[in-house]
Amino acid sequence: MTQPVSKSEKIVAYFRDAIILGELKPGDRLLNERELAKQLDVGRPLLREVVRSLAILGVLETRQGDGTYVARMSIEAFSEYFTFFLAQNDSAFSDIIQARIAIECQAVRLACSHATATDLEDLRNGLAELKETALDPVAGTKAEVTFHSTLVRASHSASLNTVYRAISELMRHSFLWRRQQSNIREGHVSALIEVHLLVYKAIVLKDEDEAERRLREHFDFSDRLEVERQLQDILGRE
């Protein structure tokens, strides 16, 4: 049985559908409040409340004395909303890791075809930074996020980049937490750098299968560090 749609949901659906269908575009001015409320058959106070909420989300923009316009949403607004949403989920970190794997595995394949000379140079610089900061949880986290963000950017897929940037803040927290807990030691550094280097080489050689395989090896390496940490915790309690 279909649940009845509330009037506030009806208003949100109107804006959502109009934007998706191209009937409302960034910069378009909305009908005045009275006309829009009449068209949607809703009360003006409720319409005003929903418009205010959509303005907070960055969907609409209210200009004092000039009316309300369709805004050009920024990825920052989407990212903030997405971050708050996932942060309320107890399994957020696990979800972020799985989302990261899915995005990066597709991105690295696309990067093999679309990476520019600038992208490759940025990845090389990222490798150097990873090596220099490997034992520092904070700086190492920054370097790893930068390297992987550069990898996704090299895919030149607007959709993958948009979603990846939206989860980047939670992903950074996840990276930092795992680095702090896993206690990366000197003996891990060479393996950590090597697996990133092999991903980079596969991109240079435009070998999609090899690039994805090496990237998954990196994910497996991170998982092994996490298992080591858990074993150390268990042994430490005995």
Side-chain angles (χ1 to χ4, degrees):
M1 181 176 175
T2 304
Q3 293 291 325
V5 177
S6 69
K7 289 201 171 185
S8 60
E9 290 173 329
K10 177 182 177 180
I11 298 170
V12 171
Y14 162 76
F15 287 113
R16 181 196 63 220
D17 295 345
I19 291 172
I20 289 174
L21 294 173
E23 296 169 357
L24 285 176
K25 298 181 176 63
D28 285 353
R29 189 176 187 275
L30 303 185
L31 295 173
N32 66 48
E33 186 180 273
R34 183 187 301 276
E35 293 173 326
L36 190 54
K38 182 178 180 179
Q39 177 180 319
L40 297 177
D41 189 28
V42 297
R44 292 174 65 183
L46 177 60
L47 174 61
R48 194 178 307 128
E49 180 183 337
V50 173
V51 166
R52 189 180 298 118
S53 298
L54 292 175
I56 292 172
L57 289 175
V59 178
L60 301 176
E61 177 187 0
T62 300
R63 303 175 188 174
Q64 191 67 34
D66 188 28
T68 302
Y69 292 77
V70 178
R72 186 175 297 280
M73 287 194 70
S74 68
I75 185 60
E76 287 74 20
F78 176 54
S79 179
E80 288 294 329
Y81 173 80
F82 202 52
T83 298
F84 279 118
F85 173 77
L86 287 176
Q88 295 177 351
N89 185 341
D90 291 339
S91 61
F93 280 175
S94 176
D95 289 343
I96 288 300
I97 293 300
Q98 295 306 312
R100 173 207 175 189
I101 291 173
I103 293 170
E104 288 194 34
C105 283
Q106 179 61 22
V108 79
R109 298 184 72 88
L110 291 173
C112 290
S113 302
H114 302 294
T116 65
T118 299
D119 293 328
L120 296 178
E121 182 180 0
D122 289 343
L123 285 169
R124 281 198 305 275
N125 292 337
L127 283 169
E129 188 176 356
L130 276 170
K131 187 173 183 179
E132 293 172 3
T133 62
L135 296 176
D136 184 326
V138 176
T141 292
K142 180 183 177 186
E144 186 157 6
V145 169
T146 298
F147 179 88
H148 288 274
S149 295
T150 301
L151 185 156
V152 176
R153 190 169 66 248
S155 72
H156 292 273
S157 165
S159 297
L160 291 180
N161 275 277
T162 295
V163 177
Y164 199 75
R165 287 169 61 190
I167 66 173
S168 61
E169 186 60 24
L170 275 178
M171 190 174 67
R172 183 182 66 79
H173 284 290
S174 175
F175 279 11
L176 179 59
W177 182 83
R178 293 188 73 167
R179 275 178 167 268
Q180 289 172 330
Q181 300 300 317
S182 297
N183 188 26
I184 294 179
R185 298 182 296 276
E186 189 70 44
H188 295 135
V189 174
S190 60
L192 178 68
I193 301 305
E194 178 68 12
V195 73
H196 283 86
L197 177 60
L198 291 173
V199 170
Y200 167 75
K201 286 182 176 179
I203 294 173
V204 172
L205 294 173
K206 301 183 182 299
D207 189 333
E208 296 181 5
D209 292 339
E210 176 70 359
E212 182 178 351
R213 184 170 73 85
R214 294 301 186 179
L215 185 61
R216 289 187 180 277
E217 284 182 2
H218 168 52
F219 297 143
D220 290 343
F221 174 79
S222 298
D223 288 342
R224 286 199 300 275
L225 289 181
E226 175 63 13
V227 170
E228 284 184 21
R229 180 193 69 79
Q230 292 174 359
L231 288 174
Q232 288 172 359
D233 285 349
I234 293 171
L235 292 174
R237 291 195 296 267
E238 292 179 350

